[in-house]
Amino acid sequence: VIATCYKVAASGKMRCGAGSPQYALYGIDRGGSSYWGEPTAFLGWYANEEQLSKEITEIHRAISQGIPTYTLQYSAKTQRRWASIKIVEE
């Protein structure tokens, strides 16, 4: 997935079962805001706050250095199982 965004936002800590991601990261586009807020794109799932913080730091570094593209480095690989999402350990 390729997303164009000028900033990122994280979800709050989610109350999920064991083995599920605790945070989600979203990219926010400059497309303007509406009644529902700014346009967002889902970027990735994160196992814990440390991984999420590392990702946000790297994204901010890329933006500040004028790097036009960034590939997520710390997102968790996941698999949907019925109504839940579980982290896949490699």
Side-chain angles (χ1 to χ4, degrees):
V1 173
I2 297 174
T4 301
C5 46
Y6 77 103
K7 68 180 181 178
V8 293
S11 69
K13 185 174 182 179
M14 294 182 265
R15 295 182 186 196
C16 300
S20 295
Q22 295 182 354
Y23 296 91
L25 184 66
Y26 299 92
I28 301 172
D29 190 6
R30 290 188 192 266
S33 61
S34 68
Y35 177 76
W36 294 277
E38 296 177 297
T40 61
F42 173 79
L43 299 177
W45 293 110
Y46 293 85
N48 55 50
E49 190 173 8
E50 178 184 354
Q51 298 298 332
L52 176 66
S53 294
K54 286 180 184 179
E55 193 81 81
I56 291 172
T57 299
E58 292 299 321
I59 291 170
H60 283 240
R61 181 175 295 135
I63 290 170
S64 68
Q65 293 176 356
I67 298 170
T69 60
Y70 176 82
T71 302
L72 298 178
Q73 300 174 37
Y74 301 100
S75 62
K77 295 191 185 333
T78 60
Q79 181 178 26
R80 181 173 294 279
R81 294 185 184 166
W82 296 96
S84 66
I85 297 173
K86 298 292 182 185
I87 295 174
V88 176
E89 300 293 332
E90 294 182 311

